[in-house]
Amino acid sequence: MTEFRADVLVVGGGLGGVAAALAAARNGAQVVLTEETAWLGGQLTTQLVPPDEHPWIESFGSTATYRRLRDGIREYYRREYPLRSASRSLAHLNPGAGRVGPLCHEPRVALAVIEAMLAPWQAAGKITVLRRHVPATAQVDGDHVTAMGFHDLQTGGDVTVTARFVLDATEAGDVLPITGTEFTTGAESQADTGEPHAAAVARPDNMQAVSVCFALSHHAGEDHTIDKPDDYAAWREVAPEWWHGPQLGWVAPHPHTLEPRRHVFTPNPDDDPTGIVADQSKDPGSDELWTFRRILARNHFRPGAFDSDITIVNWPMIDYLGGPVIGGTAEQNAAHTAAARAQSLSFLYWLQSEAPRPDGGTGWPGLKPRPDVTGTADGFAMRPYVRESRRIRGQYRIVEQDLAVAVRPEGAVSYHDSVGIGSYRIDLHPSTGGDNYIDVPAWPFQIPMRALVPERVRNVIAAGKNISTTHVTNGCYRVHPVEWTVGEAAGHLASFCVARDTEPQQVTATPDLLAEVQRSMAAQGMELDWPNVTYY
């Protein structure tokens, strides 16, 4: 058995995990960072989700390191890609000209920049990265986790990491059940949370849909049609009564109104990518599916460099409603994960063979899955996009009344222990319990330190989507810049506790310690308060 020792163990190499490792190392801690897959980056890379960001992201509303990540991605394209001069000169280059956000890009580019950000710390021996390592066991002494065991998927061996602090940055809060840290899943009851949009009865298995995303290009005159999936006929008939038709179709509920909305699909439009403004406060941009999450716009580049755009399919048609991929037995979770992938595969076949075209024909056989983009054999994501994680039972639980515009017309709650800020609508996708969208305005918000700190366990810190939100407020705390900020705050807090020989619960309870760590965070580019901005 291989053994490692660290001040801080970060489990999960997604956005929160990377940010946590960087922050902890920057502040003097010895770090071990583990990741289940071959790629770091989580939502941006292994799940194929271009960033969901707020309208002010180019000016403020993120940490300095998140801004470094964004700047690094743009600089990578300027340095390595054959951009047209007009595109190269754009201060806010959007390589995909996607409408979901102002920085849509290929996962491999994000991966390259993340690796570069970690490289000097790895060279200095401050961060050790263990890829393809799955958390499996924990050694617990009372309210402290003393070590965790991992299974090495490459060698088949076992690894033990002993650490003073354990940060859970996994996509689904996987550390929590292993360590015995108390957590919640699914939908709480209104009697419990008092939230206007909470369920009448608690449903721990009622979670937002997961999606298995995939990458596509389009090549007219070619035929890339996949073999018809064995279960295609069954998926073709899936039609929730509130969906306004089959889920494999162009019509889906509008997230805001729940009325039927017909989507448009036009591969490789001859548009001007320099003129596209991605701002969800003005236009959600999701009616036209090809450009919504497009990650490479061929017209940004010199003629002939690319014969097609590349887009990511992360659309309502692949939201898997059959059941949760966490919370059940290992067999149940695996079965639902496989079913989510099967649904996406059937949607791809539908697109290639049966989807109605504007010219009256059916199907786009020239749609080509892109394994070279995804790092997989089939062009599908390495991992499902998990919108809703297990959530710690923290010292403070963020509820809808803290930030929903309809409940708090004066603005979001101001937390005395803010460790960062974020902004997004309360955006819940249809759920495994049969719920339709919940998508309502929310004020720009803060992230309270107490939401990262468990009620009982003394040295586990939440570092991703597993902070102490509810099913409802998870809808706005789950997006990319918030996950990064949560991770950075967790890493900073852990290293502070190492240096001061204290614990997170002592920091949240001691005004002087709290003020000291907040000053340190602010000095390192972590914004703790919003200027006067409105909701969208």
Side-chain angles (χ1 to χ4, degrees):
M1 178 178 292
T2 305
E3 296 185 11
F4 293 89
R5 292 185 177 274
D7 296 316
V8 178
L9 166 61
V10 182
V11 186
L15 291 177
V18 170
L22 288 169
R26 183 174 71 237
N27 287 282
Q30 193 78 28
V31 180
V32 170
L33 170 64
T34 72
E35 164 57 28
E36 288 193 21
T37 71
W39 285 7
L40 302 172
Q43 292 190 64
L44 277 187
T45 59
T46 62
Q47 296 169 49
L48 305 183
V49 184
D52 290 298
E53 297 174 325
H54 54 72
W56 311 281
I57 190 66
E58 303 294 2
S59 302
F60 52 83
S62 77
T63 72
T65 56
Y66 186 74
R67 203 164 301 285
R68 274 185 56 209
L69 171 66
R70 298 176 87 254
D71 290 346
I73 289 167
R74 284 174 168 149
E75 181 54 34
Y76 190 100
Y77 278 96
R78 293 190 183 100
R79 184 177 67 247
E80 304 294 347
Y81 278 63
L83 287 160
R84 295 174 185 260
S85 58
S87 298
R88 186 181 302 277
S89 64
L90 291 172
H92 299 154
L93 172 64
N94 186 349
R99 295 183 182 274
V100 70
L103 183 58
C104 295
H105 53 84
E106 298 156 89
R108 284 188 182 276
V109 175
L111 176 65
V113 176
I114 286 169
E115 295 281 10
M117 293 174 74
L118 289 167
W121 299 105
Q122 291 179 264
K126 298 295 291 182
I127 297 177
T128 299
V129 181
L130 305 178
R131 295 171 182 80
R132 304 281 291 159
H133 281 65
V134 179
T137 62
Q139 299 173 28
V140 179
D141 182 7
D143 293 339
H144 289 81
V145 179
T146 58
M148 287 197 66
F150 296 82
H151 184 62
D152 185 337
L153 297 177
Q154 293 171 297
T155 67
D158 294 317
V159 171
T160 297
V161 182
T162 301
R164 294 181 62 181
F165 292 92
V166 177
L167 276 52
D168 185 354
T170 60
E171 300 301 323
D174 295 333
V175 169
L176 306 180
I178 295 172
T179 60
T181 303
E182 289 79 7
F183 64 89
T184 299
T185 63
E188 298 90 349
S189 70
Q190 194 171 78
D192 176 16
T193 69
E195 297 172 306
H197 286 95
V201 178
R203 285 281 307 275
D205 62 344
N206 185 16
M207 306 178 198
Q208 289 189 69
V210 303
S211 299
V212 176
C213 305
F214 53 96
L216 288 178
S217 53
H218 182 254
H219 309 271
E222 300 179 12
D223 189 347
H224 297 281
T225 306
I226 62 172
D227 293 338
K228 184 177 181 178
D230 292 340
D231 53 0
Y232 177 70
W235 287 110
R236 191 69 181 82
E237 297 302 315
V238 171
E241 60 178 293
W242 40 266
W243 197 270
H244 311 296
Q247 194 171 356
L248 302 192
W250 293 134
V251 178
H254 192 292
H256 299 177
T257 68
L258 307 185
E259 294 299 314
R261 176 172 65 168
R262 179 170 292 277
H263 293 277
V264 178
F265 182 68
T266 308
N268 288 328
D270 192 22
D271 56 358
D272 177 9
T274 65
I276 289 178
V277 177
D279 184 344
Q280 292 194 40
S281 69
K282 297 181 173 63
D283 176 11
S286 56
D287 286 349
E288 204 296 303
L289 294 173
W290 182 269
T291 59
F292 183 46
R293 295 186 188 271
R294 181 171 57 180
I295 57 171
L296 185 142
R298 71 193 188 288
N299 287 345
H300 261 319
F301 305 95
R302 290 200 297 265
F306 299 98
D307 61 355
S308 174
D309 298 343
I310 302 173
T311 196
I312 296 296
V313 175
N314 179 14
W315 309 333
M317 303 80 181
I318 64 168
D319 279 5
Y320 173 71
L321 307 176
V325 299
I326 59 174
T329 65
E331 293 75 16
Q332 289 170 330
N333 295 342
H336 284 303
T337 300
R341 179 172 289 273
Q343 177 178 338
S344 292
L345 192 68
S346 286
F347 181 58
L348 170 59
Y349 181 77
W350 181 84
L351 281 172
Q352 294 173 320
S353 62
E354 287 193 56
R357 299 195 310 256
D359 64 5
T362 55
W364 282 268
L367 290 172
K368 179 182 179 181
R370 295 296 300 266
D372 54 323
V373 172
T374 64
T376 59
D378 55 8
F380 284 69
M382 292 182 184
R383 301 193 65 179
Y385 173 31
V386 177
R387 295 178 173 89
E388 185 172 338
S389 171
R390 300 175 182 89
R391 305 180 297 278
I392 66 164
R393 291 184 184 174
Q395 292 185 314
Y396 183 87
R397 181 173 61 177
I398 302 162
V399 295
E400 184 178 358
Q401 301 91 302
D402 286 5
L403 69 162
V405 171
V407 183
R408 288 187 59 85
E410 71 277 22
V413 169
S414 178
Y415 304 116
H416 74 279
D417 59 341
S418 173
V419 292
I421 58 178
S423 179
Y424 206 64
R425 292 172 64 91
I426 293 176
D427 173 9
L428 275 70
H429 280 236
S431 73
T432 57
D435 296 333
N436 207 332
Y437 287 96
I438 298 174
D439 194 319
V440 296
W443 291 102
F445 51 80
Q446 295 173 319
I447 303 164
M449 183 185 290
R450 288 163 295 158
L452 281 63
V453 178
E455 289 178 327
R456 180 184 62 86
V457 180
R458 308 294 292 184
N459 66 332
V460 169
I461 305 174
K465 295 189 291 285
N466 56 350
I467 65 171
S468 185
T469 60
T470 63
H471 171 69
V472 173
T473 55
N474 164 77
C476 56
Y477 277 79
R478 64 181 174 83
V479 292
H480 302 66
V482 177
E483 184 188 353
W484 182 279
T485 300
V486 167
E488 186 164 351
H492 200 116
L493 174 60
S495 59
F496 181 87
C497 290
V498 169
R500 297 296 186 280
D501 193 23
T502 187
E503 296 176 340
Q505 289 85 353
Q506 292 175 305
V507 176
T508 59
T510 308
D512 287 348
L513 289 176
L514 175 61
E516 184 180 354
V517 74
Q518 287 176 313
R519 285 193 299 270
S520 177
M521 289 176 174
Q524 293 182 28
M526 298 181 67
E527 299 176 21
L528 308 185
D529 301 289
W530 278 100
N532 186 22
V533 292
T534 189
Y535 62 88
Y536 65 97

